[in-house]
Amino acid sequence: MRLLHRHVQPRTVTTAACLLLVAGAVSCSSVAQPADGRPAELIVFAASSLTDAFADVEQTFEAEHPEVEVEVIVDSSSTLAEQVVAGAPADVLATADEATMQRVTDEGLAAHRPVTFARNQLTLVTPADDRTSVQSVVDLERDGVTYAVCVPDAPCGAAARALLDLLGVDAEPVTEEENVRAVLTKVTAGEVDAGLVYVSDAEAAGADVGVVDLPRAGEVLTVNRITALSQAAEPELARDWVTLVSSAQGQRVLASYGFLPAP
């Protein structure tokens, strides 16, 4: 994981950033500017399953906040939560499950009550050439078929284990990866015959993978939560990011990548 070590300059200049929203309403927020005139910086820690959706959100946010540069850092939710608790510089945390976010909340590091903004579910992906013709979850138990999942302490790993148990699959994965994008990479590189990833990751991979729907996947949904962090160097911008992700515009972006709406 690449952590951004930020040296925070004194902020002595304040500008009013007035945003003309799609609905026609105007929202103004006070944005602190570094004394040397450099753009303000917003650091967002996000679950790896949010990589592509948050890249789109980043473009929108920077267009609405031309005085701000956004850095989205992605990894397993559990890894990011550990980094936040350890004091890593970040303004926003978005996780792929509730339990991981709760650890951060229990430490008093959430600036407000975390917001549930989406849900996700697992699917099975195969390499585009589909060498072994994996057509159902039952095929994972065939001799010679290899598959990958996330490590158990990552939300994608916990969900994968719960779903496989539910489906009665006893075959063990040949590898457990740190986050869901690492699982996807194993599949697209042809290093395994299949992998359990989120629907959003399968959508992002497009033609690079084949997709096998998993029965009862809807019974093992993960819940995405987001919060501004209490140690945020840019608390108002952090709240603006949370608001954008939770807005109708943010929800359309998430839906386009296969995320389910928040309950």
Side-chain angles (χ1 to χ4, degrees):
M1 173 184 176
R2 180 173 61 87
L3 280 180
L4 186 64
H5 297 284
R6 172 176 53 189
H7 176 62
V8 181
Q9 298 286 344
R11 288 169 169 82
T12 58
V13 181
T14 300
T15 60
C18 294
L19 310 178
L20 184 60
L21 304 181
V22 175
V26 175
S27 171
C28 296
S29 61
S30 177
V31 179
Q33 295 286 338
D36 62 5
R38 294 181 304 170
E41 184 175 55
L42 181 71
I43 297 181
V44 177
F45 278 11
S48 58
S49 55
L50 292 162
T51 299
D52 298 279
F54 270 24
D56 282 6
V57 173
E58 177 182 347
Q59 291 183 355
T60 300
F61 191 89
E62 289 184 338
E64 294 178 342
H65 298 74
E67 75 291 348
V68 178
E69 290 183 354
V70 178
E71 182 79 12
V72 178
I73 298 174
V74 296
D75 208 321
S76 164
S77 297
S78 56
T79 298
L80 295 175
E82 290 172 4
Q83 296 288 351
V84 169
V85 171
D91 301 298
V92 176
L93 173 66
T95 65
D97 71 343
E98 296 174 285
T100 304
M101 180 63 78
Q102 191 60 48
R103 297 208 301 267
V104 173
T105 302
D106 289 345
E107 293 289 334
L109 298 175
H112 54 83
R113 184 176 181 178
V115 176
T116 298
F117 67 93
R119 295 174 297 165
N120 216 340
Q121 72 180 44
L122 293 172
T123 192
L124 191 67
V125 293
T126 62
D129 60 11
D130 195 19
R131 304 182 305 270
T132 57
S133 296
V134 174
Q135 298 179 357
S136 76
V137 69
V138 176
D139 291 329
L140 296 182
E141 302 206 271
R142 284 181 12 219
D143 288 343
V145 172
T146 60
Y147 75 97
V149 297
C150 296
V151 293
D153 64 344
C156 53
R161 176 48 56 198
L163 183 55
L164 291 172
D165 288 347
L166 192 63
L167 297 175
V169 175
D170 296 323
E172 292 295 323
V174 296
T175 182
E176 294 179 338
E177 300 298 316
E178 287 298 317
N179 59 62
V180 71
R181 281 307 167 99
V183 173
L184 186 64
T185 298
K186 287 286 185 181
V187 175
T188 57
E191 296 180 30
V192 293
D193 299 316
L196 272 78
V197 301
Y198 292 119
V199 169
S200 57
D201 298 286
E203 290 278 350
D208 290 337
V209 297
V211 178
V212 178
D213 291 333
L214 292 172
R216 306 184 71 177
E219 298 177 38
V220 188
L221 297 178
T222 57
V223 176
N224 295 89
R225 307 203 80 192
I226 190 169
T227 186
L229 295 169
S230 58
Q231 74 262 34
E234 297 291 351
E236 293 185 25
L237 290 174
R239 289 177 181 271
D240 285 350
W241 179 277
V242 173
T243 297
L244 177 59
V245 169
S246 305
S247 70
Q249 184 177 13
Q251 292 295 297
R252 285 194 295 271
V253 170
L254 289 160
S256 73
Y257 285 99
F259 285 90
L260 299 170

